[in-house]
Amino acid sequence: MTEMMKAWVPDPGATAHIRLTEVAKPELAADEVLIRVAAYSVNRGETFLLEAPTPSWRPGKDVSGRVAAVGSDVQGYELGQRVVAHPDQAGWAEWVAVKADRVVALPDGLDDVTAAAIPLAGLTALRLTRATGPLAARRVLLTGASGGVGHAFVQLAAAQGARVTTIAANDERGHRLRELGAVETIPSIEEVTGLFDIALESTGGAALAAAWEHLVADGRLVWFGQASRSPATLDFFNWKGGMSATLRKFYYLDDPSPVGVDLESLVRLVAQQRLHIEVGLTVDWRETPVAIETLLGRRVRGNVVLRVEH
């Protein structure tokens, strides 16, 4: 008989386009680790996918928990060991099977809630610091800075000597970003003045063109999302700003570095208190639809994490 578990699945007619139901417990492949989920993080991109899901897809890319079983080809993990992982999908559940090279052991001082908020936001921020090129003494403009990626990027970039200006909609969020290392926060991109060596844009709409206008002539613009849901536009006949600038489309998994290696580095930085992971909301996993609506309504700063009760 197939063993069952509870999991969130896409449902276009339900609140936040998801419902909690029973599905088959994962069958473990030889190169996988089965994790008993303790917490998971909600990412904005996943909430967009819920609106038009592909067949067999379930949300869940950030999880923490304990090792419940290991595949025949897996070494280095013990049953009951606390871990954080970055599965391709299906982590909003009681159990999830993850490729072993995407699973990292957790030190005792790092709690499950904080750990669950590390993977996607942390990996994106870390890999953005590579996509930008050298950051020491560079002037950097970051839009959409109030989420988990923005908080992590500001800290990582500031630690490398960058002078980061962030776009934050309200004073509270701006103050927190300055505490984390931003040199300046501005309410909207329309109020930005001066030129920047690097701009990172993730909101879409007119913001991409506005960021381009604030680049130095040979600057670099990295596009990595459009949270506003409005397609970005750019007029190459507008000669303001980045006259000879470079435009790059960024996706964090295009980085050739192994996910597990980067995730282990992030875990180490967090454990050593050299990187702070901002968790703005933590609730029981049965409240996932409410948590999603809170996130999309921009009523939370940083990451949203759900605790799983078995």
Side-chain angles (χ1 to χ4, degrees), residues 76-95:
Y77 296 97
E78 300 178 356
L79 297 184
Q81 184 177 17
R82 295 177 60 247
V83 294
V84 60
H86 188 51
D88 286 326
Q89 61 160 322
W92 298 3
E94 292 182 296
W95 311 83

Side-chain angles (χ1 to χ4, degrees), residues 98-299:
V98 189
K99 298 289 187 183
D101 60 2
R102 287 183 167 211
V103 181
V104 173
L106 287 175
D108 291 338
L110 186 52
D111 65 273
D112 292 327
V113 169
T114 302
I118 294 175
L120 182 57
L123 288 166
T124 301
L126 176 62
R127 293 175 171 199
L128 276 171
T129 66
R130 296 183 188 137
T132 60
L135 284 166
R138 299 290 186 181
R139 295 159 294 175
V140 180
L141 176 65
L142 174 65
T143 69
S146 298
V149 174
H151 284 84
F153 177 83
V154 165
Q155 295 172 79
L156 294 170
Q160 294 185 40
R163 295 178 54 81
V164 184
T165 294
T166 59
I167 307 298
N170 60 56
D171 291 340
E172 178 191 4
R173 296 182 180 187
H175 176 72
R176 183 57 180 148
L177 288 163
R178 290 193 297 274
E179 288 181 333
L180 294 174
V183 297
E184 182 183 26
T185 55
I186 299 173
S188 69
I189 198 163
E190 290 77 18
E191 299 177 58
V192 172
T193 58
L195 297 177
F196 298 83
D197 302 294
I198 300 161
L200 296 99
E201 210 294 288
S202 65
T203 58
L208 185 75
W212 185 272
E213 291 184 4
H214 286 285
L215 283 175
V216 297
D218 61 346
R220 171 172 291 199
L221 193 156
V222 179
W223 177 93
F224 66 104
Q226 51 189 43
S228 68
R229 313 299 296 276
S230 298
T233 59
L234 190 61
D235 179 7
F236 285 102
F237 286 97
N238 181 351
W239 294 101
K240 297 178 181 177
M243 184 178 298
S244 302
T246 300
L247 172 63
R248 173 175 175 178
K249 179 181 179 181
F250 170 87
Y251 177 56
Y252 79 110
L253 288 181
D254 287 340
D255 189 302
S257 302
V259 168
V261 172
D262 282 353
L263 184 54
E264 185 176 21
S265 296
L266 290 162
V267 167
R268 183 176 64 254
L269 290 172
V270 175
Q272 294 174 350
Q273 298 184 0
R274 295 165 61 192
L275 175 65
H276 172 76
I277 299 298
E278 194 84 2
V279 176
L281 177 67
T282 305
V283 294
D284 184 270
W285 75 310
R286 288 167 292 190
E287 300 299 320
T288 297
V290 176
I292 290 174
E293 292 182 335
T294 302
L295 177 67
L296 294 180
R298 301 185 181 279
R299 298 191 297 274

Side-chain angles (χ1 to χ4, degrees), residues 34-51:
L34 181 65
I35 298 173
R36 184 178 188 266
V37 179
Y40 58 81
S41 180
V42 174
N43 297 291
R44 190 178 298 274
E46 291 179 289
T47 68
F48 297 160
L49 292 176
L50 285 168
E51 298 174 11

